[in-house]
């Protein structure tokens, strides 16, 4: 940490996507994630804003330390969102936007294998959380 930096307190993270016929735009601040599920593979499109050396893309129960968040500081801190522009979603592709409420509970491998086996939104949002032991991750479904 540099002299002018302050440790972040309770801030929030942000993840979003804009879908159009000719492109997919994703953006994030913090450790909320965007995944593309395509051809049976789970691909993380977002970037985790965690201190260097604390990023572990494959494991659940990550540290909650963030190098960037919205708010959480008494000083005004510039936020630099991560933005990517990709081709539009193809047939059969799925976009998953989630907070660390999900990724702290299960690994990317579990998320990918779940998406391979649960084929409906109802299965993913209702049946899968009920079948897991421990506290259910917060899930928002349309």
């Amino acid at each position: 940490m540099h002299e002018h930096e302050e440790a972040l307190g309770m801030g929030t993270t942000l993840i979003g996507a804009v879908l159009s016929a000719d492109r997919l735009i994703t953006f994030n601040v913090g450790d909320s994630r965007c995944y593309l599920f395509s051809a049976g593979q789970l691909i993380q499109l977002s970037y985790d804003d965690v201190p260097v050396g604390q990023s572990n893309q494959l494991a659940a129960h990550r540290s909650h330390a963030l190098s960037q968040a919205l708010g959480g500081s008494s000083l005004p801190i510039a936020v630099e969102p991560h933005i990517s522009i990709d081709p539009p979603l193809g047939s059969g592709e799925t976009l998953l936007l989630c907070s660390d409420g999900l990724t702290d509970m299960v690994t990317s491998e579990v998320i990918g294998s779940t998406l391979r086996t649960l084929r409906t939104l109802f299965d993913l949002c209702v049946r899968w959380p009920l079948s897991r032991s421990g506290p259910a991750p917060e899930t928002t479904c349309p």
Side-chain angles (χ1 to χ4, degrees), residues 101-103 105-106 128-129 132 134-139:
L102 176 63
T103 58
M105 298 292 294
V106 294
W128 182 61
R132 303 204 38 87
E138 294 178 17
T139 307

Side-chain angles (χ1 to χ4, degrees), residues 106-127:
V106 294
T107 64
S108 297
E109 288 79 19
V110 171
I111 295 170
S113 67
T114 300
L115 290 172
R116 282 188 285 281
T117 58
L118 300 177
R119 299 313 309 160
T120 69
L121 192 57
F122 178 79
D123 285 340
L124 183 61
C125 294
V126 177
R127 290 185 183 150

Side-chain angles (χ1 to χ4, degrees), residues 63-119:
S63 166
H64 289 280
L66 296 174
S67 57
Q68 179 170 251
L70 298 175
S73 172
S74 60
L75 301 173
I77 296 176
V79 174
E80 297 180 24
H82 306 281
I83 302 169
S84 66
I85 301 173
D86 295 295
L89 291 182
S91 177
E93 292 184 326
T94 301
L95 199 61
L96 172 64
L97 306 178
C98 60
S99 72
D100 64 354
L102 176 63
T103 58
D104 280 355
M105 298 292 294
V106 294
T107 64
S108 297
E109 288 79 19
V110 171
I111 295 170
S113 67
T114 300
L115 290 172
R116 282 188 285 281
T117 58
L118 300 177
R119 299 313 309 160

